[in-house]
């Protein structure tokens, strides 16, 4: 999981429009395995490394919606753009 996430959501039910944006602090990743033991690094350290999330170079992952579909009066699905490791 990621412990530090921020974002905003807006919805206009009458116009059937909405928007969703969020940002994730990738260094806040936690799997519950932060002990090295006999290993050179913990699982959390490995996931934060250049092998996976590369948090030193890319400290944030973001999502910005481009479209929303409603089911009745409620937003049900969002399409959008995810930016991870500098790629959208």
């Amino acid at each position: 999981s990621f412990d530090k996430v921020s974002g905003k959501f807006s919805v206009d039910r009458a116009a059937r429009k909405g928007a969703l944006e969020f940002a994730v602090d990738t260094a806040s990743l936690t799997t519950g395995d932060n002990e090295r033991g006999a290993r050179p690094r913990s699982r959390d350290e490995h996931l934060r490394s250049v092998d996976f999330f590369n948090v030193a170079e890319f400290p944030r992952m973001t999502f910005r919606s481009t479209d929303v579909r409603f089911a009745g009066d409620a937003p049900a699905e969002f399409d959008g753009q995810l930016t991870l490791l500098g790629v959208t």
Side-chain angles (χ1 to χ4, degrees), residues 29 31-33 35 39 41-48:
L29 172 114
T31 65
D33 180 4
E35 298 294 326
R39 300 175 294 179
R41 59 188 170 189
S42 71
R43 179 176 24 208
D44 288 358
E45 290 171 326
H46 190 199
L47 289 171
R48 291 180 190 124

Side-chain angles (χ1 to χ4, degrees), residues 58-78:
F58 302 102
R60 291 171 49 113
M61 169 179 25
T62 60
F63 177 83
R64 181 169 295 176
S65 66
T66 56
D67 189 30
V68 61
R69 285 181 292 292
F70 280 72
D73 287 339
E77 293 182 37
F78 286 89

Side-chain angles (χ1 to χ4, degrees), residues 4 7 15 17 23-25 31 35-38 44 46 55-56 61 64 68 71-73 75-77 79 81-82 88:
K4 294 183 182 176
K17 292 185 179 184
V24 175
D25 176 349
T31 65
E35 298 294 326
R36 288 184 184 181
D44 288 358
H46 190 199
V55 303
M61 169 179 25
R64 181 169 295 176
V68 61
D73 287 339
E77 293 182 37
D79 291 328
Q81 296 183 325
L82 177 71
T88 301

